[in-house]
């Protein structure tokens, strides 16, 4: 009865999560609003676009009831510019995540306001894979959504599915190399913090076991040294630097 | 639906998130957190689970009604409804099973203080209490009864060594920041501090991440 899985989401669970991302579809048939547990779906009236969760969009696509509008970041030009940024401009860190979506503030015209400020939404509930998402930024679930769209909606892609696929493969390799080199920074994981801004969900699931294992291992090996350091800091108060040197001897 | 709802739907300046969607977000976040955190997290407040269970029950009833008429038009709607129902049921089941796994591993720990007991739901508390009693009785009948009475307890804490296994609160976790905030972490060689920006993914110890997560400034991923 109890779940036998180790802590942390695995690949299948991440893929499940990615299927909740909202995408934009162009319906080919009328479909009335459906009263689902997660709220009513918008009524589908061709040729008006509508936003649906990915799992439902794929279902409609398979039955040829709708076409999926690929998100702008999946266009070859956007992917090329991301690859350029990942390789040339910043070969160490990941490219930044998309900026939070904003809308016009009705209370003070002319200013922009964060979308859903009060609800504190986060991926996969942010509209980061819809047609209105910004190009040039990879959302958190980029690999899973791109893979699902290429597999099941290859004919809706802005370019030949093979071209998009080979660009994606380049991107996966570049970023996997970054993930590997970031683990060498873990070796000296003494600071207690490490930021992986811009990393994707699948990449995280891939190396979660290894990264967490290293961090926990370093902590356990250094536990006595850490305890000694804390004790000295408490005793010495201001003289932290001297005691560090003492410890080195 | 009255005129206000219709007006709200066509009003581009109105961006409120409907209750159902927020519940799904809360459930998903609770599930991800429970799957990632090394210890049991508090049972969601505000009747989230009761609401979701209620709605699932009603949806099942609706499916049962709809299976009666075999009109091809409603047939597709039925497929959609059932697919979504299964997704919800998976979320709920996986969440509860992840909690039971943690309760099973450290039953006595979660029953030891009132603060920890408060994290369990009523059902989970009943389960943990009975489970522990059964286990202890079994131990007593199979071997503990031949020990002296002073050694028959399972929660002995004398001599600064506790028999109660507790989860490792310093285990590393990944969090995503939901707003710009200062993140502090304790390390082996030094204590770190950084100015985190929104949607940063940070690795740190759960004991350092916990205040941020509880304040809603970060979430586990």
């Amino acid at each position: 009865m109890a779940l036998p899985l180790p802590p942390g989401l695995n690949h299948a669970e991440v893929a499940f999560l990615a299927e909740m991302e909202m995408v934009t579809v162009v319906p080919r048939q009328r479909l009335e609003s459906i009263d689902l547990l997660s709220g009513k779906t918008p009524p589908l009236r061709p040729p008006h676009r509508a936003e649906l969760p990915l799992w439902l969009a794929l279902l409609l696509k398979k039955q040829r009831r709708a076409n999926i509008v690929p998100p702008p970041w999946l266009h070859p030009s956007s992917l090329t510019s991301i690859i350029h940024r990942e390789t040339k401009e910043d070969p160490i860190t990941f490219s930044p995540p998309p900026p939070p979506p904003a809308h016009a503030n009705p209370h003070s015209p002319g200013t922009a306001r964060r979308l859903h400020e009060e609800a504190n939404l986060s991926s996969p509930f942010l509209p980061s894979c819809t047609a209105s998402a910004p190009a040039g930024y990879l959302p958190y679930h980029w690999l899973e959504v791109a893979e699902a769209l290429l597999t099941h909606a290859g004919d809706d892609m802005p370019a030949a599915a093979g071209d998009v696929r080979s660009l994606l493969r380049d991107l996966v390799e570049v970023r996997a190399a970054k993930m590997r080199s970031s683990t060498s920074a873990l070796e000296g994981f003494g600071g207690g913090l490490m930021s992986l801004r811009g990393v994707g969900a699948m990449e995280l699931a891939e190396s979660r076991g290894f990264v967490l294992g290293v961090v926990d291992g370093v902590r356990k090996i250094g536990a006595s040294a850490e305890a000694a350091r804390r004790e000295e800091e408490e005793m010495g108060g201001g003289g932290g630097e001297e005691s560090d040197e003492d410890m080195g001897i | 639906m009255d005129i206000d709802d219709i007006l709200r739907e066509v009003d581009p300046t109105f961006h409120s998130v409907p209750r159902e969607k927020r519940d799904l977000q809360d459930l998903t976040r609770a599930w991800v957190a429970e799957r990632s955190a090394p210890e049991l997290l508090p049972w969601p407040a505000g009747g989230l689970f009761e609401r979701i269970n209620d709605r699932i029950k009603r949806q099942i009833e609706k499916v049962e009604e709809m299976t009666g008429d075999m009109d091809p038009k409603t047939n597709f709607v039925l497929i959609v409804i059932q697919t979504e129902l299964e997704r919800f049921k998976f979320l709920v089941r996986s969440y509860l099973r992840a909690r039971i796994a943690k309760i099973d591993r450290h039953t006595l720990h979660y029953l030891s203080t009132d603060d920890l007991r408060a994290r369990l739901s009523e059902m989970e508390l009943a389960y943990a209490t009975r489970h522990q009693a059964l286990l202890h009785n079994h131990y007593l009948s199979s071997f503990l009864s031949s020990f002296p009475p002073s050694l028959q307890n399972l929660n002995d804490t004398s001599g600064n060594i506790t028999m109660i296994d507790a989860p490792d609160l310093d285990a590393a976790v990944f969090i995503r920041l939901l707003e710009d905030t200062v993140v502090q972490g304790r390390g082996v060689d030094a204590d770190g501090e950084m100015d985190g920006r929104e949607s940063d993914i940070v690795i740190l110890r759960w004991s350092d991440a916990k205040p941020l997560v509880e304040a809603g400034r970060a979430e586990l991923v």
Side-chain angles (χ1 to χ4, degrees):
Chain A
M1 187 161 63
L3 203 66
L5 301 170
L9 299 183
N10 62 22
H11 293 80
E13 288 169 325
V14 168
F16 174 80
L17 217 49
E19 281 177 345
M20 293 186 192
E21 286 275 358
M22 299 300 269
V23 292
T24 308
V25 299
V26 180
R28 292 161 69 166
Q29 285 178 11
R30 286 175 74 96
L31 187 69
E32 288 309 313
S33 165
I34 307 174
D35 198 3
L36 291 178
L37 289 168
S38 52
K40 280 189 165 61
T41 61
L44 302 183
R45 308 240 187 287
H48 293 288
R49 293 179 169 195
E51 287 181 9
L52 294 175
L54 181 61
W55 63 266
L56 182 52
L58 291 178
L59 194 67
L60 290 171
K61 171 74 193 168
K62 273 180 206 160
Q63 303 218 348
R64 281 185 286 281
R65 287 169 195 265
N67 287 77
I68 300 176
V69 183
W73 52 263
L74 198 55
H75 284 252
S77 63
S78 160
L79 288 178
T80 319
S81 80
I82 296 173
I83 291 177
H84 181 260
R85 195 185 309 162
E86 296 257 2
T87 50
K88 300 285 180 332
E89 286 171 29
D90 195 349
I92 296 161
T93 55
F94 296 105
S95 58
H103 66 92
N105 188 348
H107 303 298
S108 74
T111 56
R113 194 173 67 169
R114 289 275 311 278
L115 192 63
H116 307 315
E117 215 165 29
E118 70 292 345
N120 227 345
L121 293 184
S122 67
S123 174
F125 297 95
L126 287 174
S128 56
C129 293
T130 57
S132 57
Y137 296 97
L138 291 178
Y140 186 56
H141 289 290
W142 65 277
L143 186 53
E144 308 88 289
V145 173
E147 184 60 38
L149 289 183
L150 281 173
T151 314
H152 301 290
D155 50 332
D156 290 342
M157 288 299 117
D163 294 352
V164 180
R165 228 176 242 286
S166 79
L167 283 172
L168 276 176
R169 206 175 303 131
D170 289 351
L171 206 49
V172 168
E173 273 167 29
V174 171
R175 290 169 64 99
K178 286 184 181 181
M179 195 77 202
R180 276 197 298 276
S181 67
S182 77
T183 53
S184 67
L186 283 175
E187 220 171 285
F189 193 77
L193 283 175
M194 193 169 104
S195 176
L196 287 171
R197 187 177 172 80
V199 75
M202 233 5 141
E203 293 154 323
L204 215 54
E206 187 95 348
S207 42
R208 180 190 299 270
F210 176 70
V211 170
L212 296 187
V214 170
V215 173
D216 282 343
V218 167
R219 171 172 61 86
K220 278 171 190 157
I221 294 169
S224 60
E226 190 189 341
R229 177 175 67 88
R230 272 184 213 294
E231 219 163 79
E232 266 179 46
E233 268 171 17
E234 255 173 46
M235 303 263 283
E241 278 178 37
E242 278 175 47
S243 57
D244 270 4
E245 279 172 15
D246 288 342
M247 264 166 42
I249 297 167
Chain B
M1 188 188 268
D2 58 13
I3 186 72
D4 281 347
D5 290 329
I6 296 167
L7 281 176
R8 214 172 290 146
E9 256 177 33
V10 295
D11 181 5
T13 58
F14 192 83
H15 281 278
S16 172
V17 187
R19 181 62 167 271
E20 287 89 358
K21 192 167 176 189
R22 233 174 329 163
D23 279 353
L24 176 60
Q25 153 107 40
D26 289 346
L27 176 65
T28 312
R29 197 175 272 172
W31 172 63
V32 175
E34 202 64 71
R35 285 284 289 113
S36 312
E39 64 168 335
L40 191 74
L41 302 174
W43 182 253
L48 171 69
F49 242 80
E50 290 72 17
R51 271 205 305 280
I52 285 174
N53 265 339
D54 223 45
R55 240 181 276 141
I56 288 180
K57 222 172 276 167
R58 257 181 287 142
Q59 197 80 329
I60 291 175
E61 276 165 24
K62 196 162 113 194
V63 168
E64 280 166 358
E65 272 171 37
M66 282 176 76
T67 35
D69 43 276
M70 284 310 280
D71 176 22
K73 191 97 186 187
T74 58
N75 212 357
F76 178 68
V77 173
L78 194 63
I79 293 173
V80 173
I81 290 180
Q82 277 178 323
T83 312
E84 209 228 7
L85 194 58
E86 289 305 318
R87 292 178 65 85
F88 256 78
K89 276 156 82 178
F90 167 77
L91 262 184
V92 169
R93 210 177 297 142
S94 180
Y95 175 71
L96 293 177
R97 288 178 66 197
R99 288 179 68 88
I100 289 179
K102 289 180 188 177
I103 295 172
D104 274 353
R105 275 190 71 184
H106 305 290
T107 318
L108 266 180
H109 171 71
Y110 292 119
L111 290 176
S112 57
T113 67
D114 281 342
D115 272 358
L116 289 168
R117 273 164 175 269
R119 292 187 191 178
L120 278 69
S121 72
E122 232 169 85
M123 293 262 270
E124 285 168 339
L125 195 59
Y127 164 77
T129 320
R130 286 198 50 198
H131 177 84
Q132 188 57 38
L134 275 174
L135 200 67
H136 203 165
N137 279 336
H138 171 62
Y139 288 161
L140 276 171
S141 63
S142 49
F143 63 93
L144 274 182
S145 53
S146 42
F147 290 1
S150 62
L151 294 180
Q152 285 182 358
N153 291 336
L154 290 180
N155 59 355
D156 196 355
T157 52
S158 59
N160 270 340
I161 299 166
T162 171
M163 272 180 86
I164 305 174
D165 252 353
D168 183 5
L169 297 186
D170 281 340
V173 292
F174 290 99
I175 57 166
R176 174 181 24 231
L177 302 185
L178 295 172
E179 54 188 72
D180 297 352
T181 176
V182 176
V183 186
Q184 291 174 320
R186 288 167 302 132
V188 174
D189 305 327
D191 294 349
E193 188 180 304
M194 61 174 248
D195 291 323
R197 279 171 300 162
E198 184 183 346
S199 63
D200 268 358
I201 306 260
V202 187
I203 312 173
L204 75 173
R205 295 182 188 177
W206 167 239
S207 47
D208 295 329
K210 204 175 164 185
L212 288 175
V213 173
E214 278 173 353
R217 296 207 186 113
E219 63 174 345
L220 287 154
V221 287

